[in-house]
Amino acid sequence: MDWQQYFPTYKFNNKENRDIALEEYKFCCKTLESEEKLFDSFLRYITLVCSGIVSLLAFLKLDFIKFNIEKDLVFIVGFIFFLSSIFFIITTLNFATKQKNIVFAKRKIIILRRMLGMNYGSQEFLFKKGMLEGANMPFSIKLRYSYLYFIIPCLYASMSFFMLHWIGVNLCYSVLVFLTLYTILNVIYIFSILDINETKKFVVLKAIAFILDIKLVDNFEHVLYRAKLAQFEFHRLKIDLKYIKDILIAIEDKNFRSHKGIDIKAISRAMLSQLKKIPLIKHIKYINKFPYSGGSTITQQLFRTLFIENIADKKIRRKIVEILFSRFWLNEILKKDEQLEIYLAAVRFDKNIFGAIKAYNYFFDNNKINFNKAKSFILIERVSVTSGCLLPKVIDLIDNLLKNNILTKEDCEQILCLYKQNVEKGKIQKCYKNIDNMERLNVWFDSLND
């Protein structure tokens, strides 16, 4: 069934467990309906309670003035402020919990509906307008800031403002307290509706990206979900990724296993190499010896591939966001092998080929996938090569892997043959900037055998 492709970790026998799943589905629908009713009426009760508190404060204010005991008003107002603060914090947490319950229930309904083979059309009443994208993909339904919550921090901050004003606090200080309390309550709410892979650091990093005007994908959970589906395909097909992982690390990020998402030395080398573009500095011998380098780790490349909308714009600011997210978020939610597998499943090979399986079928025309060392090298060498040409760096890459005993001479011979086949089929162009790199590779290989 098609649902198995999208929910590969679920174990469900349609013949034996259909009735159980159907009852679970009905229960989820009823729960969702009741939760939404409670959610919709929730703010009415909040408004009533707040109105009661304001009325009480007004009564106390008049009463205290009448009996000339206004000096005790500060204590009374402070006590009410303390109680209302606890009330609004609990209300915020309760609101967030109900919102998460509704979203998770909708996601569960989507999964159960897919497993039961049910048509979405008959279930449309379960979803509000704008939720139709969740018909097939559960993570299309997002946990996000609800406009319904807006009234809660506004009421809290407004009440606090009037309390301070009544006891004679300066207007500027009252406004400052208003803004502070409004912000605090919103932060509590945002931290309370974090999705499965979101963390407090993630919220801060998204704010930094917004300030730096870097456009990120709208739905991180959905992107991660699709990425993990592609990763799981390797396991479903029982593909051995050992060699291609080793070669990927050797070529793209030698310190991948030891660093925490970013490589400070690699970033420093990249910055120094970029100084060669400055006329007055490029003649300095120490600077000139550094080859041009991007300095990106595999984790950075993965984040850039999955989550940044336009990688060509605002390169310096984009690099800052990429480094921060890779170090403080992506490297913490994904294990090293998960990063490698998702990278191989998502990255672009050559022109418009995404994922190692598609790239393998394109370059090698083989029904049975076998990532041996030679084929693995060619695929990794093709990562992000948009020109479709055989680049001059290929000889240095092979020579480096040979010296580090990652490749053998037999592997090099097979690499040469596979390149020749792809050049003959027109899948790889042998010349780059009028230099025949296929001929250079032949000459290098001949010298290797001498």
Side-chain angles (χ1 to χ4, degrees), residues 132-264:
L132 297 181
E133 73 274 10
N136 293 318
M137 288 295 176
F139 285 106
S140 291
I141 297 177
K142 293 173 279 189
L143 259 174
R144 57 171 60 187
Y145 190 102
S146 172
Y147 70 93
L148 293 172
Y149 176 73
F150 177 74
I151 191 172
I152 295 176
C154 279
L155 284 171
Y156 175 54
S158 298
M159 285 175 53
S160 304
F161 173 82
F162 287 117
M163 287 181 194
L164 293 171
H165 180 66
W166 286 340
I167 61 177
V169 176
N170 183 280
L171 180 62
C172 293
Y173 289 123
S174 298
V175 171
L176 182 62
V177 171
F178 172 89
L179 295 173
T180 302
L181 294 176
Y182 178 83
T183 303
I184 289 172
L185 213 58
N186 271 285
V187 169
I188 292 173
Y189 169 65
I190 290 169
F191 284 167
S192 300
I193 58 165
L194 296 177
D195 216 324
I196 297 169
N197 292 293
E198 294 177 348
T199 62
K200 292 179 176 64
K201 291 178 184 178
F202 174 83
V203 176
V204 175
L205 294 172
K206 281 194 75 174
I208 293 172
F210 177 78
I211 293 169
L212 294 176
D213 193 27
I214 300 299
K215 179 68 175 175
L216 304 176
V217 296
D218 185 49
N219 192 338
F220 276 70
E221 290 295 332
H222 185 60
V223 171
L224 270 175
Y225 171 62
R226 295 303 299 264
K228 287 191 175 184
L229 282 180
Q231 173 207 1
F232 197 86
E233 193 68 4
F234 290 127
H235 299 282
R236 189 184 71 83
L237 297 174
K238 297 180 179 179
I239 298 173
D240 186 357
L241 299 174
K242 182 184 183 308
Y243 292 136
I244 195 169
K245 284 181 181 179
D246 291 343
I247 290 175
L248 171 61
I249 291 171
I251 291 178
E252 295 289 334
D253 187 1
K254 293 178 182 178
N255 299 319
F256 175 74
R257 295 288 183 186
S258 59
H259 67 59
K260 295 183 178 180
I262 62 172
D263 189 336
I264 300 299

Side-chain angles (χ1 to χ4, degrees), residues 157-410:
S158 298
M159 285 175 53
S160 304
F161 173 82
F162 287 117
M163 287 181 194
L164 293 171
H165 180 66
W166 286 340
I167 61 177
V169 176
N170 183 280
L171 180 62
C172 293
Y173 289 123
S174 298
V175 171
L176 182 62
V177 171
F178 172 89
L179 295 173
T180 302
L181 294 176
Y182 178 83
T183 303
I184 289 172
L185 213 58
N186 271 285
V187 169
I188 292 173
Y189 169 65
I190 290 169
F191 284 167
S192 300
I193 58 165
L194 296 177
D195 216 324
I196 297 169
N197 292 293
E198 294 177 348
T199 62
K200 292 179 176 64
K201 291 178 184 178
F202 174 83
V203 176
V204 175
L205 294 172
K206 281 194 75 174
I208 293 172
F210 177 78
I211 293 169
L212 294 176
D213 193 27
I214 300 299
K215 179 68 175 175
L216 304 176
V217 296
D218 185 49
N219 192 338
F220 276 70
E221 290 295 332
H222 185 60
V223 171
L224 270 175
Y225 171 62
R226 295 303 299 264
K228 287 191 175 184
L229 282 180
Q231 173 207 1
F232 197 86
E233 193 68 4
F234 290 127
H235 299 282
R236 189 184 71 83
L237 297 174
K238 297 180 179 179
I239 298 173
D240 186 357
L241 299 174
K242 182 184 183 308
Y243 292 136
I244 195 169
K245 284 181 181 179
D246 291 343
I247 290 175
L248 171 61
I249 291 171
I251 291 178
E252 295 289 334
D253 187 1
K254 293 178 182 178
N255 299 319
F256 175 74
R257 295 288 183 186
S258 59
H259 67 59
K260 295 183 178 180
I262 62 172
D263 189 336
I264 300 299
K265 290 182 179 179
I267 293 172
S268 301
R269 284 196 302 269
M271 292 175 65
L272 287 171
S273 71
Q274 294 300 311
L275 292 176
K276 292 196 296 185
K277 295 180 179 179
I278 302 174
L280 295 176
I281 298 179
K282 69 179 182 179
H283 298 295
I284 300 174
K285 290 183 179 180
Y286 179 77
I287 299 296
N288 198 45
K289 73 176 183 179
F290 286 97
Y292 283 111
S293 170
S296 295
T297 62
I298 289 172
T299 311
Q300 288 176 245
Q301 293 178 47
L302 180 60
F303 179 82
R304 181 169 65 230
T305 300
L306 294 179
F307 301 111
I308 296 182
E309 289 282 357
N310 191 345
I311 63 174
D313 292 344
K314 306 159 189 166
K315 290 186 178 181
I316 295 176
R317 283 179 282 167
R318 186 257 296 165
K319 202 72 170 178
I320 293 171
V321 171
E322 180 185 303
I323 289 170
L324 291 175
F325 268 96
S326 299
R327 171 62 182 86
F328 297 108
W329 179 66
L330 193 60
N331 193 64
E332 293 182 358
I333 66 165
L334 294 178
K335 296 177 181 178
K336 290 292 186 179
D337 279 318
E338 286 181 314
Q339 292 178 38
L340 291 173
E341 290 171 8
I342 292 175
Y343 180 96
L344 292 169
V347 78
R348 180 180 61 188
F349 295 83
D350 218 296
K351 295 181 180 177
N352 291 308
I353 306 163
F354 290 88
I357 293 176
K358 287 185 178 179
Y360 185 97
N361 292 330
Y362 176 78
F363 287 111
F364 307 125
D365 297 326
N366 194 325
N367 292 327
K368 186 177 180 180
I369 297 176
N370 174 26
F371 288 109
N372 61 23
K373 290 182 180 181
K375 293 177 180 179
S376 296
F377 171 82
I378 291 177
L379 291 178
I380 299 304
E381 185 272 323
R382 292 283 92 193
V383 169
S384 299
V385 180
T386 57
S387 65
C389 299
L390 186 60
L391 301 179
K393 68 176 184 178
V394 66
I395 294 174
D396 292 332
L397 291 176
I398 296 173
D399 189 50
N400 184 52
L401 295 180
L402 192 62
K403 289 176 180 177
N404 287 287
N405 299 317
I406 296 173
L407 294 177
T408 64
K409 288 187 178 181
E410 289 75 18

